[in-house]
């Protein structure tokens, strides 16, 4: 789209990003075109390895400007093979990672996949794919698996609580109808795959189709299993599904596997469940008690349903565990706000005993199985509204959800401020008082803000401007303000995200401001921000940081002054790099950058543009003689001679100069003018520098 030169600049930028994120003894190389190979050395810890891979994957996703127009976003497909599981030689590891890349590309790109032995070249996740699919295990379901619905009956009255969608083959259906356990350890593992998202898609698509046909829908549920570090994948996938199939999610309960819940910290689990409930889903856990009862399962208000494993019930029936233990567990889960559901094939005597001793109603799987097509037919033909009856705890479901929501806000040190511009009143989420120790006045918020200690005096004007802007422009925006904490007797930094709510006639009725406390991480964030803006070789601003900083300065503070803009290039650098190697060339680049930096004030902006080029904005300097003297100093700093095995290698500087505002009033205009002047200087045998004004109309202007 933009030509190979701009493309090469992008490759250099991506390479620098990868080099920054792949440090130490790790190895990175470009093998061809836009393909890179990376070897992460000595990283047996799976969580650490996954974090490195996610970091690499995310850093590649960028967008660029070319001639003022934004180009399509750069994205990546990444294939991963593990030593020694997937190979003990470079060729084996490379071939397997290449197959994973090919699979990723077949399935919509923008993803990273671990190699597994079942990958086929024609394997497709389609018609559904997500932009962040991650999986280390087999992606292929067992042959002959079809989707069926299993009714869940209530212990009191036998009415249907929900229909569970599950994958079964003919043999498993037969075993289920015979009252046997159809799920072996093998089939459970085979269903533990990120492709459960595909089956959830089928369920959501089916529900969407039934809703379009005005069918009366019951509650349905679906099991899903994934590795604990794949939660971002799941949330992104659900967002993508619901954008295509907008359904009433309250009918659907997503059942997380007990193994998934065990892998997550309580805060990570709360975040995941909060996201899923934010979409409208109900959330539960299945396979509970197969080996243990994890503490996360007991979180109050977090789960709507708990499905016990067949192995646990079998152990009770065999006398390994006492019946009192099962009753105690069910009471405990009921108090946490979850409905207990027991597996099919349970002995009638145990079921009757639980009905007597466990007062609240519980659910159990029936032996009936309904195919998806039969299910659709029944729903379409039915004139009865199949609403499931509430269990004892369900009237408090909304309260539990709100409580969980407040807990999430508190755990993330966040609160929500809702401002009504018409009445100048505010509402604060309950987490504010618990986090900051007081409750501010809700009336006349803007009028009393100057007297209130809630906002730092230096940030009050900024907050008012942003809130008024959000009301008028209805655009999402962010700001950083300090909130007074009575608990700490000090101000704490908050990132504020503004969203405008409008009514049906497009009149703004509320501004929602989400405040997130970042005080504890602010120091780390500043360091990370500095790293993201700094070129790792020269320690100058990188290309994009320099560009953004200059643009911001010219637009605001420096708009009314005169400045000089320079592009300096180290000529002969390619020869130096070829003959003496990249390590030596980078050392020269680093030393040169340091010496150039010493020539200027701290207030001047200097960055590495690309390769061996630098950009400099000299603030407040427009006198031609003074600018020329600075440029000559740069040329002297750059010029040097180095000894190689074949003789001497000389590098020297060439500089193009443009002046603000005479040669341009924007960064792009200044850069374009200075670049033309640089080309002129490079093709001039006498001049090491040139001003843009001297090159206008010159026939000697050549392009590289």
């Amino acid at each position: 789209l933009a030509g190979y030169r701009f493309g090469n600049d992008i490759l250099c930028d991506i390479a620098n990003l990868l080099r920054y994120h792949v440090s130490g003894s790790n190895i990175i190389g470009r093998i061809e075109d836009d393909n890179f190979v990376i070897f992460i050395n000595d990283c047996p810890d799976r969580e650490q390895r996954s974090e490195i891979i996610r970091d690499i994957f995310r850093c590649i996703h960028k967008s660029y400007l070319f001639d003022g127009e934004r180009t399509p976003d750069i994205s990546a497909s990444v294939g991963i093979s593990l030593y020694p599981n997937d190979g003990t030689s470079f060729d084996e590891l490379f071939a397997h990672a290449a197959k994973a890349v090919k699979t990723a590309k077949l399935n919509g790109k923008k993803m990273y996949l671990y190699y597994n032995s079942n990958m086929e070249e024609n394997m497709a996740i389609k018609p559904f794919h997500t932009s962040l699919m991650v999986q280390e295990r087999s992606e292929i379901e067992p042959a002959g698996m079809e989707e069926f619905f299993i009714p869940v009956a209530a212990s009191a009255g036998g009415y249907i609580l929900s229909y569970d969608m599950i994958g079964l083959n003919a043999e498993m259906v037969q075993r289920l109808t015979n009252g046997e356990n159809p799920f072996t350890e093998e089939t459970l593992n085979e269903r533990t795959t990120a492709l459960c998202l595909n089956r959830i898609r089928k369920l959501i698509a089916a529900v969407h189709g039934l809703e379009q046909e005005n069918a009366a829908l019951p509650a349905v549920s679906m099991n899903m299993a994934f590795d604990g570090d794949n939660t971002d994948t799941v949330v992104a996938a659900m967002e993508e599904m619901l954008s295509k199939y907008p359904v009433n999610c309250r009918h659907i309960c997503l059942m997380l596997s007990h193994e998934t819940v065990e892998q997550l910290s309580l805060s990570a689990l709360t975040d995941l469940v909060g996201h899923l409930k934010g979409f409208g889903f109900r959330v539960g856990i299945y396979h509970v008690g197969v080996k243990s009862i994890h503490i996360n399962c007991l979180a109050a208000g977090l789960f709507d349903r708990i499905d016990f494993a067949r192995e646990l019930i079998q152990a009770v029936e065999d006398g390994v565990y006492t019946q009192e233990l099962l009753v105690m567990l069910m009471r405990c889960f009921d108090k946490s706000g979850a409905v207990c559901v027991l597996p099919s094939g349970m002995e009638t005597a145990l079921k009757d005993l639980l009905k007597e001793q466990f007062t609240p109603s519980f659910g159990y799987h029936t032996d009936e199985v309904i195919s998806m097509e039969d299910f659709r037919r029944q729903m379409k033909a039915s004139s009865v509204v199949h609403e499931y009856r509430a269990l004892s705890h369900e009237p408090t479901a909304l309260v539990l959800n709100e409580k969980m929501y407040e807990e999430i806000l508190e755990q993330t040190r966040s609160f929500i401020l809702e401002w009504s511009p018409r009445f100048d009143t505010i509402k604060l989420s309950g987490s504010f008082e618990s986090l900051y120790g007081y409750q501010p006045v809700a009336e006349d918020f803007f009028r009393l803000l100057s007297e209130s200690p809630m906002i730092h005096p230096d940030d009050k004007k900024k907050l008012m401007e942003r809130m008024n802007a959000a009301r008028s422009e209805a655009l999402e925006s962010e700001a950083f303000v300090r909130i007074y904490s009575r608990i700490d007797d000090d101000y704490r930094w908050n990132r504020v995200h503004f969203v405008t709510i409008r009514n049906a006639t497009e009149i703004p009725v509320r501004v929602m401001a989400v405040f997130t406390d970042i005080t504890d991480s602010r120091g780390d964030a500043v360091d990370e921000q500095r790293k993201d803006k700094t070129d790792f070789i020269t320690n100058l601003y990188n290309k994009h940081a320099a560009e953004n900083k200059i643009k911001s300065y010219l637009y605001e503070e420096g708009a009314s002054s005169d400045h000089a803009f320079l592009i300096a290039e180290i000529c002969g650098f390619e020869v130096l790099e070829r003959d003496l190697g990249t390590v030596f060339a980078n050392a020269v680049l680093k030393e040169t950058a340091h010496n150039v930096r010493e020539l200027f004030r701290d207030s001047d902006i200097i960055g590495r543009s690309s390769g061996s080029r630098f950009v400099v904005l000299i603030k407040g300097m427009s006198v031609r003689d003074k600018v020329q003297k600075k440029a000559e100093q740069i040329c002297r700093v750059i010029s040097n001679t180095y000894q190689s095995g074949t003789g001497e290698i000389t590098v020297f500087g060439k500089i193009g100069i443009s002046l603000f505002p005479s040669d341009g009033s924007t960064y792009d205009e200044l850069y374009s003018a200075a670049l033309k002047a640089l080309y002129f200087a490079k093709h001039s045998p006498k001049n090491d520098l040139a001003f843009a004004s001297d090159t206008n109309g010159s026939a000697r202007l050549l392009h590289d």
Side-chain angles (χ1 to χ4, degrees), residues 10 113 126 135 161 237 288 296 347 364 386 390 426 684 693:
I10 291 176
L113 289 175
K126 295 174 180 177
Q135 185 56 29
L161 291 175
V288 172
N296 283 350
E347 292 179 355
Y364 60 90
H386 292 263
I426 63 168
S684 170
S693 57

Side-chain angles (χ1 to χ4, degrees), residues 208-273:
H208 181 260
L210 289 167
E211 284 185 349
Q212 300 306 304
E213 296 161 4
N214 296 317
L217 297 178
V220 292
S221 74
M222 173 73 202
N223 292 350
M224 58 193 302
F226 48 90
D227 291 328
D229 54 5
N230 291 349
T231 54
D232 289 344
T233 298
V234 174
V235 172
M238 301 310 296
E239 282 183 320
E240 194 166 334
M241 287 184 211
L242 294 175
S243 66
K244 186 172 183 179
Y245 301 108
V247 298
N248 179 5
C249 298
R250 186 60 185 164
H251 288 286
I252 302 172
C253 183
L254 297 180
M255 301 295 294
L256 307 178
S257 76
H258 183 257
E259 292 83 351
T260 298
V261 172
E262 279 185 320
Q263 294 176 33
L264 296 170
S265 66
L266 183 58
S267 60
L269 183 63
T270 303
D271 287 343
L272 172 62
V273 174

Side-chain angles (χ1 to χ4, degrees), residues 271-330:
D271 287 343
L272 172 62
V273 174
H275 275 112
L276 297 178
K277 289 197 173 185
F279 296 139
F281 293 109
R282 300 163 72 234
V283 183
I285 315 175
Y286 73 94
H287 215 211
V288 172
V290 63
K291 294 177 181 176
S292 63
I293 305 288
H294 196 271
I295 191 75
N296 283 350
C297 300
L298 299 169
L302 209 56
F303 297 106
D304 300 291
R305 173 173 159 179
I306 301 290
D307 280 24
F308 286 120
R310 185 71 189 88
E311 289 83 350
L312 175 65
I313 303 303
Q314 188 67 55
V316 174
E317 291 174 344
D318 294 343
V320 178
Y321 300 138
T322 64
Q323 296 171 346
E324 288 77 8
L325 175 64
L326 182 58
V327 172
M328 183 187 70
L329 282 173
M330 293 175 68

Side-chain angles (χ1 to χ4, degrees), residues 137 174 251 295 313 373 448 575 583 625 700:
R137 301 182 186 147
Q174 186 60 48
H251 288 286
I295 191 75
I313 303 303
E373 285 306 312
L448 298 176
V575 179
V583 175
D625 290 345
R700 295 175 58 193

Side-chain angles (χ1 to χ4, degrees), residues 360-541:
S361 177
F362 58 88
Y364 60 90
H365 286 92
T366 68
D367 295 334
E368 182 185 3
V369 290
I370 306 169
S371 71
M372 181 176 278
E373 285 306 312
D374 288 342
F375 180 79
R376 288 178 61 87
R377 251 191 312 271
Q378 287 182 25
M379 294 305 108
K380 288 166 65 176
S382 176
S383 59
V384 180
V385 177
H386 292 263
E387 289 192 8
Y388 59 92
R389 292 177 59 180
L391 297 185
S392 58
H393 73 90
E394 294 237 346
T396 64
L398 181 61
V399 176
L400 290 170
N401 286 344
E402 289 177 352
K403 179 182 178 183
M404 182 196 71
Y405 183 61
E406 289 294 341
E407 287 177 356
I408 292 173
L409 288 174
E410 286 188 30
Q411 286 189 22
T412 57
R413 292 200 62 86
S414 302
F415 69 90
I416 297 174
L417 182 149
E418 178 184 328
W419 176 53
S420 171
R422 181 180 177 186
F423 303 106
D424 192 24
T425 58
I426 63 168
K427 292 180 182 178
L428 291 167
S429 59
S431 54
F432 178 86
E433 188 167 6
S434 61
L435 291 172
Y436 293 94
Y438 63 100
Q439 192 71 28
V441 178
E443 307 293 331
D444 297 327
F445 177 66
F446 266 29
R447 188 176 67 82
L448 298 176
L449 188 60
S450 58
E451 305 168 10
S452 169
M454 177 182 175
I455 309 297
H456 192 282
D458 295 342
D459 299 333
K460 290 179 179 179
K461 182 179 179 182
K462 181 197 330 182
L463 180 66
M464 293 172 70
E465 288 176 351
R466 291 296 177 89
M467 292 182 74
N468 275 321
R471 176 179 62 173
S472 59
E473 298 173 7
L475 297 175
E476 295 187 20
S477 60
E478 280 192 342
F480 294 89
V481 301
R482 284 159 286 186
I483 305 291
Y484 177 71
S485 168
R486 186 171 290 171
I487 297 172
D488 300 327
D489 193 24
D490 199 0
Y491 284 93
R492 297 185 64 86
W493 278 103
N494 275 254
R495 177 189 286 110
V496 193
H497 185 80
F498 302 94
V499 179
T500 304
I501 308 298
R502 292 175 174 261
N503 61 18
T505 59
E506 290 301 307
I507 296 174
V509 290
R510 295 192 307 280
V511 173
M512 308 295 290
V514 182
F515 290 73
T516 303
D517 194 314
I518 59 170
T519 303
D520 297 335
S521 60
R522 186 171 171 80
D524 294 337
V526 170
D527 289 341
E528 284 300 315
Q529 192 176 41
R530 182 185 60 79
K531 288 179 183 177
D532 290 341
K533 292 181 179 180
T534 303
D535 176 71
F536 76 101
I537 293 177
T538 63
N539 209 31
L540 301 174
Y541 287 115

